[in-house]
Amino acid sequence: MQNRTPRIPEQPTPNPVDADAGLTVELASVVTGARRRALRDGDRQIDTAHLLHSLIESDPEVREAFDGGPQLAKVLGYLVQRSIGYGLRWQGSVEDSGAVPVVRDLAADVVREPAAEGWSPSAVTAMEDALHRAGLRGESRARGLDLLAALAADGECRAVEVLGRAGVDARWLSGRAVERTAEVSR
């Protein structure tokens, strides 16, 4: 007898605030990778660690912003371990660094994210910040380095927790990403 497990169709996770319109092709690919990673990990939301993982895997400019291979390997090690233990404490919880208010529905005893369905409030804020950073340079599309700078600038997000455990100074990395963006934009 076969064990029949009902198949749950994978629903695409909507993008926050029509961000796709302001992303480079490379950064849109990062979002797709983060969405796939969240689904595979069984997470309800794309969070900043999903974005960081996909960003590092997809964008060579982002990898170059780190201080060499050993540092990058350590960060990737923590990110890979996420689904097998390190990140299990995050499953079922909402990532909220306080950047976007999370609303608690006391009657239903659930947390509702006002920002975007399928995205943690911190991930939405990082995407919006990346778009804002591009706009400050006069560009209409955000790059991977813009997102890296935004992720590393949020001291309370999961991506920064991963960076810290891997020995990466998030403030230094954010500044380095901003510097590299300026170099690439010239």
Side-chain angles (χ1 to χ4, degrees):
M1 177 179 228
Q2 291 182 354
N3 182 4
R4 296 198 148 245
T5 305
R7 187 169 186 280
I8 300 171
E10 294 181 6
Q11 298 296 319
T13 305
N15 286 324
V17 209
D18 296 326
D20 278 345
L23 305 180
T24 60
V25 171
E26 295 81 11
L27 196 49
S29 175
V30 166
V31 170
T32 300
R35 179 180 299 117
R36 193 173 32 249
R37 185 167 302 289
L39 285 169
R40 186 176 52 232
D41 290 351
D43 293 332
R44 295 180 312 137
Q45 300 177 323
I46 295 171
D47 67 20
T48 59
H50 293 122
L51 289 171
L52 178 64
H53 197 162
S54 186
L55 194 56
I56 290 171
E57 286 181 335
S58 302
D59 194 326
E61 290 177 348
V62 166
R63 289 191 297 273
E64 290 173 12
F66 283 84
D67 192 20
Q71 184 184 64
L72 188 58
K74 197 167 182 183
V75 171
L76 277 172
Y78 276 104
L79 290 166
V80 167
Q81 291 177 26
R82 175 189 176 127
S83 62
I84 59 172
Y86 173 70
L88 290 179
R89 63 190 167 83
W90 291 336
Q91 284 185 337
S93 65
V94 175
E95 175 189 32
D96 180 28
S97 64
V100 174
V102 173
V103 179
R104 181 158 194 85
D105 182 344
L106 296 175
D109 195 32
V110 276
V111 175
R112 304 202 188 282
E113 306 83 34
E117 183 181 331
W119 287 76
S120 75
S122 297
V124 169
T125 300
M127 294 299 294
E128 291 172 345
D129 187 22
L131 291 168
H132 178 74
R133 288 168 185 270
L136 290 175
R137 286 192 316 277
E139 295 180 15
S140 60
R141 298 193 180 276
R143 314 169 88 111
L145 288 170
D146 292 316
L147 181 56
L148 179 63
L151 290 170
D154 182 352
E156 300 297 318
C157 73
R158 291 177 182 170
V160 168
E161 184 178 336
V162 169
L163 292 170
R165 289 188 181 263
V168 177
D169 181 337
R171 282 186 279 178
W172 171 84
L173 183 61
S174 182
R176 181 149 161 120
V178 169
E179 289 171 11
R180 300 219 36 64
T181 302
E183 291 171 9
V184 172
S185 296
R186 287 182 202 162

